[in-house]
């Protein structure tokens, strides 16, 4: 501005800028008396303005190109959406509704019958729908009335559910059947079955072995043993006995829920008295930070989601405060980092060896392509084979026997509880004193520690060793094999009398 004002005062001419519409640049015209140095300066300014104008033109051109591309993409997507809308309109109105059915009044030991029957009903309805997909997609007429075919299907469903409710239950005799005491009898004795024909066209008859297969005690236990192994299973149960929370993580609903139920069953003779949530939605993962002990399960889609839950800050914080994690996808147990817990967890050698032997036996059975250990559907329809049931029964009894021994004479003597507490006469409430119970255990341990150093105890150990060696020698001899075959033959003859 100052230089321009000065130029006017000295009488110098000012350049006039004219816009050339042909090439969008500015040309400079000068008066006759313009001096050359000033002309060069003005030309320099004009060049700068030309370059700036050209850049603005290029920028506006690129923006216009981007807008045209976006507009084309939006039109294509709108056309695709419109075509999808027309296709959906031709199919009719489809409403997807998530439903949850709560079944009450079912005996726990009879759940397998109910679920097997419901599965056959679902399979039949899927088959009917597959025969007429148009009717499956559009069940109503023009005025919204239910079609006759759909109405008949609803009536059939209600009649079948009524049959299941009133007819599918064990008789008094069937409900009293239990496992034989001898494992040989469990394998070779005559098997009893629950049999029932459902009023469903072409549906196979329900035929389940008695006692009925149990989802938690059998299927859940089998999956825990085969997935995380016997040692990790016992450690997880010990954590629960210490009332530490355990979270199960897997990709299958039946896997997670059955394993969670199995953990509760395997705590016997003790009963879980805290929170049990076999299915915990991922959106409620904050629950793991709860200060109360719990058995919970989270079902996720795919291994990547499993890793997300394991690495979630809430999971990590809960594990630092006492929670342990059973990863059914990787078959691992991650024990809590709570201080002092790891020192208390020690699986006895005899318990580990016994369960390991049963574990390898299950692995052999699982290798059979027809084994129900490989399929939950096969288990629900047929149950496990006698040998598989014996193996799982032995594992369950072994764990229960070990946990029962932890309570010493409280388990063996019906009046044992009187020795370790007092009864409040006013409130009739019994006060148990753990110190009294542990005092007796410490006294026994001190005596046992002195006993193992005596020659008497060393001689007993030698006698047990010699007894084992004699059995091994006899079992591998020809005479031993003949005696075993003869005893098996006689046992089978006596069984059928």
């Amino acid at each position: 501005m100052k230089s321009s004002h000065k130029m006017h005062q000295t009488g110098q001419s000012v350049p006039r800028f004219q816009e050339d519409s042909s090439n969008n640049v500015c040309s400079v015209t000068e008066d006759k008396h313009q001096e050359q140095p000033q002309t060069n300066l003005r030309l320099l300014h004009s060049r700068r303005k030309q370059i700036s104008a050209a850049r603005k033109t290029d920028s506006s051109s690129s923006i216009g190109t981007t807008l045209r591309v976006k507009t084309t993409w939006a039109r294509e997507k709108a056309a695709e959406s419109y075509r999808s809308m027309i296709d959906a309109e031709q199919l009719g109105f489809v409403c997807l509704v998530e439903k949850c059915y709560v079944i009450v009044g079912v005996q726990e030991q009879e759940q397998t019958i109910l679920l097997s029957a419901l599965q056959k009903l679902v399979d039949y309805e899927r088959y009917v729908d597959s025969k007429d997909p148009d009717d499956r997609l559009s069940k109503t007429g023009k005025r919204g009335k239910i079609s006759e075919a759909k109405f008949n299907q609803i009536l059939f469903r209600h009649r079948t559910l009524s049959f299941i409710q009133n007819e599918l239950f064990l008789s008094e005799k069937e409900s009293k059947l239990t496992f034989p005491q001898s494992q040989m009898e469990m394998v070779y004795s005559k098997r009893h079955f629950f049999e029932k024909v459902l009023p469903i066209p072409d549906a196979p008859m329900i035929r389940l072995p008695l006692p009925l297969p149990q989802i938690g005690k059998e299927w859940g236990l089998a999956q825990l043993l085969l997935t995380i192994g016997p040692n990790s299973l016992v450690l997880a149960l010990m954590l629960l006995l210490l009332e530490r929370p355990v979270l199960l993580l897997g990709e299958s609903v039946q896997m997670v829920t059955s394993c969670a139920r199995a953990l509760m069953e395997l705590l016997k003779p003790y009963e879980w008295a805290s929170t049990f949530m076999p299915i915990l939605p991922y959106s409620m993962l904050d629950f793991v930070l709860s200060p109360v002990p719990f058995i919970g399960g989270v079902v996720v889609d795919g291994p990547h989601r499993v890793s997300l839950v394991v690495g979630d800050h809430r999971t990590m914080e809960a594990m630092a405060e006492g929670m342990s994690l059973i990863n059914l996808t990787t078959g691992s147990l991650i024990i809590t980092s709570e201080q002092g817990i790891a020192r208390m967890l020690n699986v006895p050698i005899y318990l580990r060896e016994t369960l390991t032997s049963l574990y390898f036996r299950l692995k052999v059975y699982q290798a059979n392509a027809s084994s129900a250990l490989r399929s939950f559907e096969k288990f629900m329809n047929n149950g496990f084979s006698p040998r598989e049931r014996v193996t799982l029964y032995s594992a369950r009894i072994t764990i229960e026997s070990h946990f029962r021994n932890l309570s010493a004479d409280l388990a063996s003597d019906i009046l044992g509880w009187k020795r370790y507490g007092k009864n409040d006469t006013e409130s009739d409430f019994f006060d148990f004193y753990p110190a009294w119970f542990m005092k007796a255990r410490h006294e026994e341990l001190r005596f046992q520690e002195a006993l193992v150093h005596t020659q008497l105890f060393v001689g007993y150990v030698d006698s047990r060793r010699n007894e084992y060696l004699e059995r091994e020698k006899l079992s591998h001899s020809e005479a031993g094999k003949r005696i075993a075959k003869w005893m098996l033959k006689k046992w089978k003859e006596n069984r059928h009398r």
Side-chain angles (χ1 to χ4, degrees):
M1 292 295 294
K2 290 183 180 179
S3 60
S4 176
H5 180 67
K6 184 177 180 180
M7 290 168 62
H8 279 286
Q9 287 180 341
T10 57
Q12 297 174 348
S13 62
V14 181
R16 298 188 299 275
F17 295 93
Q18 296 179 352
E19 185 175 355
D20 186 354
S21 59
S22 61
N23 53 11
N24 292 328
V25 295
C26 295
S27 61
V28 182
T29 60
E30 304 178 35
D31 289 340
K32 292 189 293 182
H33 304 290
Q34 183 179 359
E35 297 180 359
Q36 187 65 28
Q38 294 294 337
T39 303
N40 293 338
L41 181 61
R42 292 166 188 164
L43 286 174
L44 179 61
H45 286 296
S46 66
R47 286 295 182 186
R48 289 179 178 176
K49 291 186 178 182
Q50 292 174 15
I51 294 173
S52 177
R55 287 178 178 175
K56 290 182 179 179
T57 303
D58 294 340
S59 176
S60 61
S61 176
S62 62
I63 293 174
T65 303
T66 304
L67 289 176
R68 285 194 297 272
V69 171
K70 290 185 176 180
T71 303
T72 304
W73 177 85
R75 288 177 178 174
E76 291 177 354
K77 291 299 179 182
E80 181 182 349
S81 176
Y82 180 75
R83 288 194 298 269
S84 300
M85 183 183 69
I86 296 300
D87 294 340
E89 181 68 21
Q90 293 176 355
L91 294 175
F93 293 99
V94 179
C95 182
L96 301 179
V97 181
E98 293 184 359
K99 293 184 179 180
C100 176
Y101 294 94
V102 179
I103 304 174
V104 297
V106 181
Q107 298 293 331
E108 181 181 354
Q109 62 271 19
E110 298 182 8
Q111 284 183 354
T112 312
I113 301 177
L114 173 65
L115 296 177
S116 179
L118 291 176
Q119 184 62 57
K120 287 177 171 55
L121 176 60
V122 171
D123 292 340
Y124 171 74
E125 291 198 354
R126 286 176 177 172
Y127 169 73
V128 171
D129 289 341
S130 66
K131 291 176 63 179
D132 190 358
D134 293 335
D135 185 59
R136 173 173 60 86
L137 292 173
S138 181
K139 295 292 185 182
T140 60
K142 295 181 178 179
R143 297 185 179 180
K145 295 182 180 180
I146 298 177
S147 64
E148 182 178 356
K150 179 60 178 177
F151 182 74
N152 292 333
Q153 186 177 353
I154 293 175
L155 287 180
F156 171 80
R157 182 189 303 162
H158 280 275
R159 286 195 298 266
T160 305
L161 291 175
S162 178
F163 176 87
I164 293 174
Q165 181 181 11
N166 298 317
E167 301 293 336
L168 282 186
F169 54 86
L170 296 177
S171 64
E172 183 178 357
K173 181 180 179 180
E174 291 171 334
S175 61
K176 291 182 179 180
L177 287 174
T178 58
F179 287 109
Q181 294 297 323
S182 170
Q183 294 189 7
M184 187 173 291
E185 289 184 6
M186 292 178 65
V187 175
Y188 293 104
S189 61
K190 181 181 178 180
R191 300 183 70 188
H192 301 274
F193 291 88
F194 171 84
E195 297 179 343
K196 205 72 170 182
V197 178
L198 295 174
I200 301 176
D202 301 326
M205 176 180 63
I206 294 180
R207 190 172 189 267
L208 296 169
L210 293 172
L212 289 172
Q214 300 298 310
I215 297 176
K217 292 181 180 179
E218 293 185 337
W219 174 261
L221 172 57
Q223 298 309 307
L224 282 172
L225 275 174
L226 294 171
T227 303
I228 66 175
N231 193 70
S232 294
L233 173 59
V234 176
L235 290 176
L237 294 172
M238 295 174 70
L239 287 165
L240 290 175
L241 288 179
L242 296 176
E243 294 188 332
R244 294 302 189 274
V246 171
L247 181 69
L248 295 101
L249 185 61
E251 302 177 40
S252 168
V253 174
Q254 64 263 27
M255 184 77 161
V256 173
T257 55
S258 60
C259 289
R261 183 63 188 173
L263 290 177
M264 287 187 63
E265 294 285 348
L266 292 171
L267 292 177
K268 289 184 178 180
Y270 314 101
E271 294 184 6
W272 184 252
S274 191
T275 305
F276 177 67
M277 296 184 67
I279 292 294
L280 182 67
Y282 180 73
S283 59
M284 296 178 59
L285 193 60
D286 289 337
F287 178 80
V288 299
L289 300 174
S290 173
V292 300
F294 63 85
I295 300 176
V298 175
V299 180
V300 294
D301 298 328
H304 65 287
R305 296 287 296 177
V306 173
S307 301
L308 288 177
V309 176
V310 174
D312 192 284
H313 69 92
R314 294 165 293 185
T315 305
M316 302 297 291
E317 183 178 347
M319 293 184 64
E321 298 295 330
M323 187 188 80
S324 299
L325 179 69
I326 297 178
N327 192 333
L328 297 173
T329 302
T330 60
S332 60
L333 169 67
I334 307 176
I335 299 177
T336 174
S337 55
E338 181 185 357
Q339 187 177 4
I341 292 296
R343 294 197 302 268
M344 293 187 285
L345 302 178
N346 183 28
V347 181
I349 296 177
Y350 82 92
L351 180 61
R352 181 169 61 248
E353 291 181 347
T354 302
L355 292 178
T356 300
S357 175
L358 297 173
Y359 161 78
F360 283 115
R361 190 188 302 177
L362 275 182
K363 293 290 286 185
V364 173
Y365 298 149
Q366 188 187 34
N368 189 342
S370 61
S371 173
L373 290 167
R374 303 166 65 96
S375 169
F376 183 71
E377 183 178 356
K378 287 183 179 180
F379 169 77
M380 292 299 299
N381 291 329
N382 306 307
F384 288 135
S385 68
R387 294 179 183 273
E388 292 167 346
R389 299 194 83 176
V390 167
T391 304
L392 294 170
Y393 177 79
S394 299
R396 192 165 62 250
I397 292 301
T398 300
I399 295 173
E400 181 179 346
S401 176
H402 172 69
F403 288 163
R404 191 179 296 274
N405 290 336
L406 296 177
S407 59
D409 55 338
L410 287 174
S412 58
D413 187 358
I414 191 64
L415 297 178
W417 55 273
K418 288 186 175 182
R419 305 185 185 100
Y420 309 114
K422 289 183 179 180
N423 196 42
D424 190 341
T425 56
E426 296 182 358
S427 62
D428 197 27
F429 183 79
F430 181 77
D431 291 323
F432 170 69
Y433 297 108
W436 293 9
F437 179 83
M438 291 308 302
K439 180 181 178 182
R441 306 288 80 74
H442 289 317
E443 292 174 353
E444 292 176 2
L445 186 60
R446 283 195 295 269
F447 176 79
Q448 188 178 19
E449 185 177 1
L451 175 64
V452 297
H453 290 88
T454 64
Q455 187 63 35
L456 190 71
F457 194 85
V458 174
Y460 175 71
V461 173
D462 287 337
S463 66
R464 293 291 293 174
R465 177 178 178 272
N466 293 331
E467 183 180 353
Y468 166 76
L469 294 176
E470 287 295 328
R471 286 186 180 183
E472 284 293 302
K473 182 179 179 180
L474 182 61
S475 63
H476 289 86
S477 65
E478 292 298 326
K481 294 179 181 178
R482 287 196 296 269
I483 293 174
K485 291 181 180 179
W486 180 82
M487 292 182 64
L488 178 61
K489 179 181 177 182
K490 291 298 181 181
W491 179 83
K492 288 183 178 180
E493 292 175 355
N494 294 331
R495 184 193 63 184
H496 294 297
R497 287 182 179 178

